[in-house]
Amino acid sequence: MKLIKDEKYYKMSELVELTNLSNFTISFYDKKALLPNTISTSKNMKYYPEITITVLNLIKYFKENLNFSIDYIKELFDFYNINFQDRADLILQSIEMISSEIKNPISKKDLEIYCVNEAIELDLLDDKEIYFKTEIEVLKTFNELKKYDISTQLISEYVKTSKKLASMEKELSDKVMEKIGILPEILVLDILNSFKPYIFNRHTILEFKKEN
């Protein structure tokens, strides 16, 4: 590790050790413009800023846990205009990347048949001009649920519960930051991608099993 202008920078060999990724893999990601800008010394040694470790861990997570291709990750990074300066903002952007696939865009006006404004009023979706694959799937499910009387109450409870959990997740994040000085990006992604869905689905299964 080397201090350059009071900021931590790492050599390639150090990144390999810290991330368990090969020299070839990291260089490939660099050529794909997935990594922040480097600094070269007078000895022609390339140094990577500290946030590179977080970026590499995120890419690794996307590939291994979500089966995202490198081309799709690049597409996500470009779409969300990834912030390589602020680690907390980068983790927040990664949550957005997991939550919504930026595929098959459809304009809001073309979704009126799916009662998009009603879904927005229920805080199920953001109010914007373009929606993508995951959001459209949510909207279509919402319209199927509308056929049943309990649907609005169920959705309202989902939204209310999610807001309460989000507040508690933020509180937990603040406490982790206070205790260890850093928020582990993989912990955040695991809570979002596996831990939370598992708990919800487990209790849904148990509830349905009661009838049997």
Side-chain angles (χ1 to χ4, degrees):
M1 188 267 289
K2 183 180 182 69
L3 282 177
I4 303 176
K5 297 179 181 178
D6 295 326
E7 293 186 11
K8 295 178 182 177
Y9 281 78
Y10 294 84
K11 294 185 293 186
M12 172 66 79
S13 59
E14 293 172 316
L15 290 181
V16 169
E17 183 178 350
L18 289 166
T19 64
N20 291 319
L21 293 170
S22 70
N23 186 314
F24 174 81
T25 298
I26 296 172
S27 296
F28 175 67
Y29 293 163
D30 198 8
K31 289 176 183 177
K32 281 281 190 177
L34 288 170
L35 303 182
N37 292 332
T38 60
I39 287 180
S40 295
T41 65
S42 56
K43 295 181 180 179
N44 203 29
M45 174 72 75
K46 185 181 284 189
Y47 284 90
Y48 297 80
E50 185 176 22
I51 200 169
T52 306
I53 298 169
T54 299
V55 176
L56 289 170
N57 284 334
L58 291 175
I59 294 172
K60 187 176 179 181
Y61 189 93
F62 291 158
K63 280 177 59 59
E64 293 180 358
N65 294 275
L66 302 171
N67 295 317
F68 286 0
S69 69
I70 288 300
D71 287 340
Y72 182 55
I73 293 172
K74 171 62 175 169
E75 188 180 350
L76 286 168
F77 275 31
D78 290 343
F79 179 81
Y80 286 102
N81 191 22
I82 287 300
N83 185 355
F84 288 124
Q85 304 301 318
D86 188 315
R87 187 173 179 279
D89 194 33
L90 175 59
I91 294 174
L92 183 61
Q93 288 178 311
S94 70
I95 294 173
E96 292 181 295
M97 286 186 260
I98 287 178
S99 301
S100 183
E101 291 186 54
I102 56 166
K103 297 176 182 177
N104 308 324
I106 298 180
S107 65
K108 181 181 178 181
K109 62 181 178 61
D110 293 328
L111 292 170
E112 291 178 358
I113 59 169
Y114 293 114
C115 306
V116 63
N117 287 321
E118 187 177 343
I120 292 168
E121 287 176 12
L122 287 169
D123 211 2
L124 197 57
L125 296 173
D126 292 328
D127 188 0
K128 55 185 186 177
E129 293 305 313
I130 297 293
Y131 293 90
F132 293 100
K133 181 182 176 182
T134 306
E135 296 163 321
I136 295 164
E137 289 174 352
V138 167
L139 192 55
K140 289 180 177 179
T141 302
F142 166 64
N143 275 262
E144 284 299 309
L145 288 172
K146 275 170 55 65
K147 298 174 183 178
Y148 309 96
D149 292 338
I150 199 174
S151 62
T152 301
Q153 181 185 348
L154 177 64
I155 291 165
S156 296
E157 286 298 320
Y158 276 151
V159 172
K160 185 167 68 174
T161 301
S162 68
K163 288 180 178 179
K164 182 178 179 180
L165 288 172
S167 177
M168 294 177 72
E169 288 165 351
K170 179 62 169 64
E171 185 180 349
L172 172 65
S173 298
D174 291 342
K175 288 185 176 180
V176 171
M177 284 287 291
E178 183 181 328
K179 186 170 183 178
I180 66 174
I182 192 170
L183 182 62
E185 65 275 0
I186 302 306
L187 174 63
V188 174
L189 297 181
D190 276 340
I191 288 174
L192 174 74
N193 189 51
S194 57
F195 185 76
K196 188 161 55 175
Y198 170 80
I199 292 174
F200 282 142
N201 291 335
R202 175 177 176 270
H203 285 282
T204 296
I205 292 167
L206 290 175
E207 187 63 31
F208 276 86
K209 280 184 174 179
K210 288 178 183 179
E211 297 180 3
N212 298 322

